[in-house]
Amino acid sequence: MEDKVAIKVAHVYKSFKLPHEKQSSIKGSLLHFAQRKRGYEQQHVLDDIDFEVKKGEFFGIVGRNGSGKSTLLKLLAGIYTPNKGDVQVCGKLTPFIELGVGFNPELTGRENVFLNGALLGFSHKEMNAMYDDIVSFAEIEKFMDQKLKNYSSGMQVRLAFSIAIKAQSDVLLIDEVLAVGDAAFQRKCFEHFMLLKKNKQTVVLVTHDMGAVRQYCDKAIMIDKGRIVKRGTPEVVAQAYQKLFNDEMEAEEGKEKAARKQSGDTDNRWGEGGLRAVKPQVAITEDTVTITTRYRAEVDTPAPILGFTIYGPTGSNILEGNTLRAKRKTQDLRKGESVEVAWQVPNIFANGTYGVSVACCDQSTTRFYDWWNEAVSFKIRKDGYTAGVVDPGVAIINYEVSR
């Protein structure tokens, strides 16, 4: 390998044999052989994977569950061998792939540190030099002489991860580490990632978190169905991953809506009536998203509260507004009158499909006239991305009663 290359993966293929049935007797095995039955099928996991990781790079690997990411990481760690192709790693490698691998619950935390170090190829002297840093980072100094079986799952995670990142190796492999520990420990891990990046440590990170890819990685690849389908800068790969995810979400939403329509399911709308929303309209510009809804009074209705909610691609509530919170007084409506309200929010949305629910209720907020889930949806497609949590502020730009 070139001096500047830490990992070289050359045209790697990997498959597994999945047995159809297990033969527990000699007779069964002989019959199976005599009848020439194939007792397994071939599962092709990785297909012609080819890439390099330079020394000092923070390299990201992304993909859906079942795409082959973890299998690739185990090939890099030497746990699996490829059926075809070659994997070369320059220097000592530390993997953090599965929690608890190499741990013995009957040994103390201290003993497990040295056991894990030995499995990673470090001498007792080398682990002695690293021990204080490992324990300090895990923040479990008082428990190191207790047996591991008495540790909570969180303590075990902290110890395992601390061994992985504090072991002074040339290459660090990390799988789904952003789910490790509590919020405070995760924040500590993020800070350490920035230090690793600053110090030019070679890191391979497998994750579903595109924010982490953008923040830490220098290069990335996306794997789908065992093949590399996108490679390049973190932004290019993150957008490709989000598009893949969004396309799947849209397909599922289409199936669900078709199923609801066929079955006559109307669970997405409820309320006691009297004031009903007309289908909202959404207007999108580069800078703003405007949601306009007209409500029609079927009976005389005291000044109602009118509102909306925007849901993200995963169904989470990400933004809402109503006239009460906006401190906008509404008017009593007579039967036959309608009121139109238009809400405008900054277009801070990431790429994806968003759902909009609209609702109206009385001033006590206990009587809902109409609540319409998924009344309308809109799509965002743009080159940039929005990072972080923001409160953009919601403003009413129009409120008009007509007879």
Side-chain angles (χ1 to χ4, degrees):
M1 274 200 308
E2 297 177 15
D3 290 341
K4 295 182 180 180
V5 177
I7 298 174
K8 185 176 178 63
V9 178
H11 305 290
V12 163
Y13 294 78
K14 183 61 182 176
S15 61
F16 297 97
K17 291 181 179 179
L18 300 180
H20 289 160
E21 56 187 54
K22 183 179 180 181
Q23 297 298 329
S24 56
S25 66
I26 296 175
K27 180 180 178 182
S29 299
L30 289 173
L31 283 172
H32 217 64
F33 179 78
Q35 294 170 6
R36 302 294 186 194
K37 287 184 179 179
R38 193 180 187 189
Y40 64 89
E41 63 180 276
Q42 204 80 10
Q43 180 193 23
H44 298 284
V45 181
L46 296 175
D47 182 7
D48 196 22
I49 302 296
D50 189 89
F51 66 92
E52 288 183 351
V53 180
K54 299 290 180 65
K55 290 181 179 179
E57 273 187 345
F58 214 117
F59 192 88
I61 301 176
V62 306
R64 298 177 296 181
N65 289 334
S67 61
K69 307 185 306 297
S70 294
T71 298
L72 175 57
L73 216 59
K74 289 175 181 176
L75 284 167
L76 299 182
I79 297 171
Y80 294 155
T81 56
N83 299 95
K84 185 179 175 183
D86 188 41
V87 176
Q88 297 181 52
V89 178
C90 181
K92 189 170 288 187
L93 180 148
T94 299
F96 183 76
I97 297 176
E98 292 180 10
L99 175 63
V101 173
F103 275 177
N104 186 330
E106 294 299 327
L107 298 180
T108 66
R110 183 187 302 273
E111 290 166 336
N112 271 289
V113 168
F114 285 93
L115 173 62
N116 227 260
L119 292 173
L120 293 173
F122 293 101
S123 68
H124 192 278
K125 183 179 179 181
E126 288 173 320
M127 289 309 297
N128 252 329
M130 293 183 265
Y131 179 82
D132 288 341
D133 278 347
I134 290 170
V135 176
S136 176
F137 192 89
E139 299 176 355
I140 54 174
E141 292 93 334
K142 295 187 296 183
F143 306 96
M144 292 306 293
D145 291 316
Q146 286 188 18
K147 288 188 177 182
L148 198 75
K149 66 182 181 182
N150 296 322
Y151 283 23
S152 67
S153 58
M155 291 167 66
Q156 291 186 39
V157 166
R158 290 157 81 123
L159 183 60
F161 183 64
S162 298
I163 294 171
I165 64 172
K166 285 296 183 177
Q168 296 166 9
S169 58
D170 301 300
V171 180
L172 177 60
L173 302 184
I174 309 175
D175 190 3
E176 296 302 345
V177 73
L178 301 182
V180 165
D182 56 24
F185 191 71
Q186 286 185 29
R187 188 162 53 248
K188 189 174 182 178
C189 295
F190 296 154
E191 292 171 357
H192 190 75
F193 282 168
M194 293 306 296
L195 183 62
L196 292 176
K197 183 176 176 67
K198 182 180 178 181
N199 293 338
K200 296 295 183 180
Q201 167 77 41
T202 306
V203 180
V204 177
L205 173 67
V206 169
T207 182
H208 291 286
D209 187 337
M210 294 305 103
V213 171
R214 289 177 169 120
Q215 185 172 3
Y216 303 115
C217 295
D218 301 305
K219 292 181 183 177
I221 59 173
M222 182 173 79
I223 298 178
D224 191 44
K225 298 177 182 177
R227 296 185 65 89
I228 296 177
V229 295
K230 183 65 73 173
R231 67 176 80 216
T233 66
E235 182 59 30
V236 166
V237 173
Q239 287 193 25
Y241 179 82
Q242 288 172 328
K243 183 178 185 304
L244 180 70
F245 180 76
N246 291 335
D247 289 346
E248 286 184 345
M249 290 290 293
E250 289 172 20
E252 288 299 318
E253 287 172 4
K255 290 178 184 178
E256 289 175 6
K257 288 178 181 178
R260 282 201 302 268
K261 185 175 180 181
Q262 187 174 5
S263 64
D265 184 5
T266 58
D267 287 345
N268 67 323
R269 193 168 190 177
W270 56 274
E272 63 181 58
L275 184 63
R276 297 274 289 179
V278 180
K279 189 174 181 68
Q281 302 295 317
V282 180
I284 303 170
T285 70
E286 184 178 347
D287 300 317
T288 63
V289 174
T290 304
I291 300 166
T292 305
T293 309
R294 180 170 292 278
Y295 298 84
R296 183 174 293 114
E298 300 168 341
V299 297
D300 290 351
T301 307
I305 296 173
L306 312 173
F308 75 100
T309 305
I310 297 177
Y311 298 92
T314 60
S316 57
N317 177 343
I318 61 172
L319 184 64
E320 61 183 32
N322 61 58
T323 52
L324 179 64
R325 185 178 298 171
K327 298 180 180 179
R328 178 61 186 256
K329 290 184 178 180
T330 57
Q331 300 176 24
D332 296 345
L333 299 174
R334 295 178 183 177
K335 180 180 178 179
E337 290 183 337
S338 62
V339 57
E340 181 179 279
V341 58
W343 304 86
Q344 190 174 84
V345 300
N347 188 353
I348 47 80
F349 302 97
N351 288 337
T353 301
Y354 296 82
V356 179
S357 297
V358 293
C360 51
C361 64
D362 69 349
Q363 289 291 325
S364 71
T365 69
T366 58
R367 293 178 56 202
F368 278 85
Y369 305 120
D370 191 16
W371 186 299
W372 192 354
N373 282 321
E374 299 181 24
V376 70
S377 64
F378 63 92
K379 297 178 182 178
I380 297 294
R381 291 286 186 270
K382 55 187 178 183
D383 295 332
Y385 71 95
T386 299
V389 179
V390 297
D391 181 2
V394 177
I396 298 175
I397 60 169
N398 182 56
Y399 179 84
E400 180 182 347
V401 174
S402 59
R403 290 179 171 79

